[in-house]
């Protein structure tokens, strides 16, 4: 299943040997985990417990309700809610799997805890330019999802791992969410083949689809309607749509973690729009989500101007400035870069 672009650095034999007897293992993933982060972490959890290890999934922060149906969810330790058990698990771990993030700062506030841990560490990820903080690294920016890489990595460890349906359901979740239901640029032939394989392994894909996408609160649906009707601005000359979410929206629609998930994609549904941005006012910070089409590299834009990053067509960032200042900065930068290209 390995593609030529998948990079493995470090000696996998050390890990194989390390896993040959029951170990204490932590699986961790990025802050505000999404479907791929939780899917890959819980898939790895299921695989490792099936091999007799003691496994704790530690997330830095909480994650959306629509991901909490996943098998193994009740075993997840959320650091911001249970600091002591999370710290104990990390400090006692023989091995730490770092999934779906490329730099330690992406797991704040447990970056120091994980960075300082003396455990053997493995990174499995598909983001650009990973930092060198693990003993082993399995990495491919062309992979649809960390779930796809997790599937490959498990098969690298052992040819016939006999993955449980629970494990496969978690893998399918990340595959589905990171490819936007097999619609965005991350959708490769390999991703579809893996989906077929997971279906053959017995997952109930209709049930997963239902739990992930047809499980909204009424207030979330009304919030999306309000965002599209009253908060979306189109700037035709830069082929951009942006949606703002301010504090008042948060209160009016009782916004919960994950309620803004996917909202950024709507802009790209408009004819002629190549860049869609979600600008969200959070306590003390503005969070940005970028989605683009074609060669428009939002990873670079987010890195250069908004202390962020991600992938070429999907990236995030942040700013400490005020909402209107951030909007003006984005529009001005884009207009400038558009003007420059014409020269
Ligand atoms: P989203 O817009 O869904 O929050 O994130 C899109 C992509 O950008 C994801 O792959 C995510 O990991 C990455 N990303 C989001 N926010 C940040 C950030 O602040 N820093 C970096 N380096 N990547 C981010
Ligand atoms: Mn991912």
């Amino acid at each position: 299943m390995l593609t030529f672009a998948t990079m493995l650095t470090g000696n996998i034999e050390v890990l194989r040997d390390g896993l040959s007897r029951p170990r204490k293992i932590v699986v961790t993933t990025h802050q505000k985990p999404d479907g791929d982060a939780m899917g890959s972490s819980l898939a790895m959890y299921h695989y490792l417990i099936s091999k007799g290890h003691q496994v704790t999934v530690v997330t830095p922060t909480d994650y959306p309700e629509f991901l909490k149906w996943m098998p193994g969810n009740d075993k997840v330790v959320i650091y911001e809610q249970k600091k002591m058990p999370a710290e104990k698990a990390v400090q006692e771990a023989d091995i730490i799997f770092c999934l779906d993030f490329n730099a330690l700062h992406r797991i704040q506030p447990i970056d120091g805890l994980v960075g300082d841990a003396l455990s053997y560490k493995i990174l499995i990820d598909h983001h650009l330019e990973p930092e060198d903080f693990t003993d082993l690294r399995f990495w491919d920016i062309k992979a649809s999802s960390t779930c796809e890489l997790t599937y490959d990595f498990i098969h690298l460890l052992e040819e016939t791992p006999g993955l449980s349906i629970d494990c496969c359901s978690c893998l399918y979740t990340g595959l589905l969410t990171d490819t936007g239901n097999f619609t965005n640029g991350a959708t490769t032939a390999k991703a579809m083949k893996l989906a077929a394989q997971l279906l053959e392994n017995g997952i109930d894909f209709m049930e997963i689809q239902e739990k992930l996408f047809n499980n909204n609160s009424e207030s979330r649906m009304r919030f999306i309607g309000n965002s599209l009707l009253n908060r979306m601005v189109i700037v035709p000359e830069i082929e951009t749509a942006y949606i703002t979410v301010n504090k008042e929206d948060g209160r009016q629609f009782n916004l919960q973690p994950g309620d803004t998930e996917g909202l950024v994609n709507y802009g790209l549904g408009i004819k002629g729009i190549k860049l869609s941005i979600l600008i969200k006012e959070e306590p003390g910070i503005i969070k940005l989500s970028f989605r683009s089409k074609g060669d428009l590299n939002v990873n670079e834009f987010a890195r250069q101007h908004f202390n962020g990053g991600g992938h070429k067509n999907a990236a995030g960032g942040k700013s400490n400035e005020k909402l209107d200042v951030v909007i003006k900065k984005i529009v001005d930068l884009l207009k400038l870069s558009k003007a420059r290209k014409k020269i």
Side-chain angles (χ1 to χ4, degrees), residues 244 279 281 286 321-330:
T244 49
I279 307 168
E281 207 174 19
I286 304 284
E321 288 170 300
K322 284 206 157 118
L323 195 59
D324 50 345
V325 177
V326 176
I327 294 171
K328 187 172 177 339
K329 181 176 168 182
I330 293 174

Side-chain angles (χ1 to χ4, degrees), residues 236-305:
E237 62 269 38
I238 47 171
E239 298 164 307
T240 297
Y242 66 83
I243 297 175
T244 49
V245 179
N246 59 33
K247 284 183 198 147
E248 207 183 294
D249 295 332
R251 277 191 293 273
Q252 185 185 350
F253 297 98
N254 186 26
L255 286 188
Q256 302 298 313
D259 277 356
T260 54
E261 196 79 29
L263 182 56
V264 65
N265 295 316
Y266 284 91
L268 289 184
I270 301 165
K271 196 174 174 180
I273 295 300
K274 298 215 172 95
L275 172 64
S276 177
I277 310 168
L278 184 74
I279 307 168
K280 190 178 169 200
E281 207 174 19
E282 288 187 2
I285 199 157
I286 304 284
K287 273 290 291 169
L288 300 162
S289 278
F290 301 94
R291 299 292 184 272
S292 68
K293 282 184 185 170
D295 283 339
L296 217 166
N297 190 331
V298 285
N299 168 62
E300 231 164 64
F301 189 74
R303 261 179 202 243
Q304 261 179 25
H305 305 293

Side-chain angles (χ1 to χ4, degrees), residues 221-231 249 252-253:
M221 292 306 250
R222 305 237 179 251
F223 160 70
I224 290 170
N226 183 65
S227 301
L228 296 179
L229 184 65
N230 299 316
R231 300 280 183 267
D249 295 332
Q252 185 185 350
F253 297 98

